[in-house]
Amino acid sequence: MTDVILVLNAGSSSLKFAVYPKTEGANSPLLRGKISGIGTKPVFSARDAAGLELLQHGFAPIDPKTTADGLIPNLLDWVQAHLSGATICAAGHRVVHGGPHHAGPAVVTKTLLSDLEALVPLAPMHQPHNLAAIRCLAAKAPDMPQVACFDTSFHHTQDRLAQIFALPRALTDEGIIRYGFHGLSYEYIASTLPSYLGNRADGRVVVAHLGSGASICAMQNQRSVATSMGLTVLDGLMMGRRCGTLDPGVVLYLMEEKHMSAQQIKTLLYRQSGLLGVSGISNDMATLEQTDAPEAKQAIDLFCYRAAREVASLAVTIGGLDALIFTAGIGENSATVRADICARLRWMGVRIEAAANVQNAARLSPRGADIEVLVIPTDEETIIAQATRALTCGAGAAAQT
Ligand code: AMP
């Protein structure tokens, strides 16, 4: 009987999943899918290994009020039914915050779960959903080993200077530092660089992960040197709903002059800002690109302006730029955004070919360009599957919660 690994990425409004063979080196999923619109209008979609769409048939009707973790029992049954005879032998999860102590993935134990619970205030919109998925699976399949893969781990290679804020030392010592996120995506991109760049893979590379959440990472030798996100996922780029870098004086002003509570400010910064806040129309880039309203155009302009500034700023940390990589939903699909960002970086020597850009080609820069500009689709699930396989299929599988 075949053993498989289940990968889960549970968020506030979506549950992404993928199933991989347990076999070492099998990096193509047997099936992959997601339930989006959780909490409003849930939509199920899944594809098999050949990319053919799989029917929701067998998945119980989804209550719009269900949370992502509430869908896991159904999902397990559905996966089992679509992989006749296969056994799910382990599960891997994306966990947004690993705090200061996790430079790599970890097998889930009771102690780990309570450590991760303590980090909820640092990722209030993500961490609770990640942990709820782990708990739900532990309740449904108590003997199945689970692995937590952290978005922060990839950035543990950064120098201290890149990590600390200019705050009193006691706060830094407490762990109020820049952790950085999207590490699973950056780890995947880093692993693909040699196949795109050959020897230049070890050079000065800036990766722009532009999705609903967005950040940028400067790498050298395929390791993180600096990144735009900080203690929380609010820092850095403007995002779908998040504000990105903000004068901290704005928060003080909102508290003192507008008498807003911490909860109201949290909602404003995490949910009501970014593309949605500036456009007043949508948090979704594709929707804004199809809208004529000047507010939509200004939101896209600000997104690109801020991203270009951040690319240039991060290039300072690695002493220049050999390659610029675009990834995630916007980075992989929006020719408009890529063209705008690259135009703002022309002074640095960034050049792209318009035809290649419109086709979402892998290589956008002209042949022989000093700075390679590439589009590389990210694949966080494969990184999670590899880590889960390594930690649970060897001799040292640890106890479940
Ligand atoms: P992600 O969080 O990586 O799934 O990315 C979601 C973002 O990518 C949303 O803002 C989408 O509107 C955007 N996106 C996806 N496809 C396109 C496209 N063809 N053109 C512009 N934006 C897109």
Side-chain angles (χ1 to χ4, degrees):
M1 196 182 291
T2 335
D3 276 351
V4 295
I5 290 169
L6 175 66
V7 171
L8 292 178
N9 178 356
S12 58
S13 62
S14 71
L15 174 65
K16 294 185 189 154
F17 58 92
V19 175
Y20 290 78
K22 179 184 153 186
T23 325
E24 178 91 33
N27 289 329
S28 300
L30 299 167
L31 57 87
R32 192 193 275 269
K34 76 171 175 181
I35 302 154
S36 54
I38 293 172
T40 48
K41 237 173 143 188
V43 178
F44 177 100
S45 60
R47 289 181 185 278
D48 68 10
L52 294 174
E53 203 160 327
L54 294 170
L55 297 176
Q56 190 177 341
H57 178 70
F59 202 105
I62 305 172
D63 175 352
K65 292 201 191 83
T66 315
T67 52
D69 57 294
L71 293 169
I72 287 175
N74 263 346
L75 178 64
L76 279 184
D77 294 342
W78 183 88
V79 165
Q80 208 76 71
H82 277 78
L83 295 166
S84 41
T87 306
I88 303 173
C89 66
H93 298 259
R94 178 182 181 195
V95 176
V96 162
H97 218 305
H101 304 303
H102 292 289
V107 174
V108 173
T109 61
K110 275 187 180 145
T111 315
L112 178 72
L113 263 186
S114 68
D115 287 353
L116 298 179
E117 195 71 53
L119 297 168
V120 163
L122 300 186
M125 305 296 171
H126 299 85
Q127 193 91 340
H129 300 289
N130 306 155
L131 301 187
I134 295 176
R135 288 213 170 82
C136 179
L137 206 53
K140 171 105 175 150
D143 297 326
M144 184 193 298
Q146 300 194 63
V147 171
C149 301
F150 306 107
D151 266 323
T152 45
S153 296
F154 185 71
H155 302 295
H156 275 244
T157 51
Q158 291 181 6
D159 281 350
R160 197 66 176 155
L161 212 56
Q163 294 177 328
I164 61 176
F165 293 117
L167 285 172
R169 190 165 286 275
L171 291 174
T172 305
D173 293 344
E174 245 179 59
I176 301 185
I177 59 169
R178 308 177 64 84
Y179 290 94
F181 298 88
H182 290 134
L184 300 168
S185 172
Y186 292 131
E187 188 177 339
Y188 177 79
I189 299 293
S191 75
T192 68
L193 289 179
S195 64
Y196 288 95
L197 296 173
N199 291 341
R200 293 182 91 190
D202 284 338
R204 302 161 301 177
V205 177
V206 168
V207 181
H209 175 110
L210 308 179
S212 304
S215 72
I216 303 196
C217 180
M219 296 180 194
Q220 203 151 23
N221 296 316
Q222 298 156 57
R223 292 162 149 235
S224 174
V225 173
T227 190
S228 60
M229 280 180 170
L231 174 76
T232 71
V233 297
L234 275 182
D235 204 5
L237 302 185
M238 172 181 176
M239 302 174 223
R241 293 172 178 274
R242 288 172 246 159
C243 57
T245 299
L246 190 72
D247 173 359
V250 172
V251 176
L252 296 175
Y253 183 88
L254 295 176
M255 287 166 64
E256 290 175 356
E257 304 300 323
K258 307 276 286 179
H259 307 294
M260 288 175 72
S261 67
Q263 190 53 50
Q264 286 172 319
I265 295 175
K266 197 189 282 180
T267 303
L268 180 85
L269 303 183
Y270 276 98
R271 308 287 306 158
Q272 298 169 339
S273 300
L275 292 173
L276 175 65
V278 176
S279 70
I281 297 168
S282 174
N283 64 314
D284 186 80
M285 183 60 84
T287 305
L288 293 180
E289 285 185 358
Q290 286 154 18
T291 309
D292 288 334
E295 293 84 357
K297 180 171 180 342
Q298 188 177 55
I300 298 171
D301 285 350
L302 184 58
F303 181 92
C304 298
Y305 164 82
R306 294 277 300 274
R309 272 182 68 165
E310 198 68 45
V311 170
S313 156
L314 283 166
V316 172
T317 70
I318 46 177
L321 192 60
D322 297 313
L324 172 62
I325 317 292
F326 288 100
T327 192
I330 299 170
E332 291 167 29
N333 297 297
S334 174
T336 313
V337 167
R338 289 190 303 254
D340 189 318
I341 294 171
C342 290
R344 292 175 194 274
L345 296 170
R346 205 176 154 79
W347 63 273
M348 283 176 82
V350 171
R351 301 274 187 283
I352 59 170
E353 291 187 325
N357 187 38
V358 169
Q359 288 159 18
N360 296 327
R363 181 167 267 98
L364 304 186
S365 44
R367 194 172 284 277
D370 285 342
I371 299 175
E372 299 264 22
V373 183
L374 306 176
V375 178
I376 305 180
T378 195
D379 189 351
E380 291 147 316
E381 288 76 22
T382 290
I383 293 293
I384 298 171
Q386 286 169 349
T388 306
R389 191 179 293 132
L391 289 187
T392 61
C393 298
Q400 171 69 317
T401 53

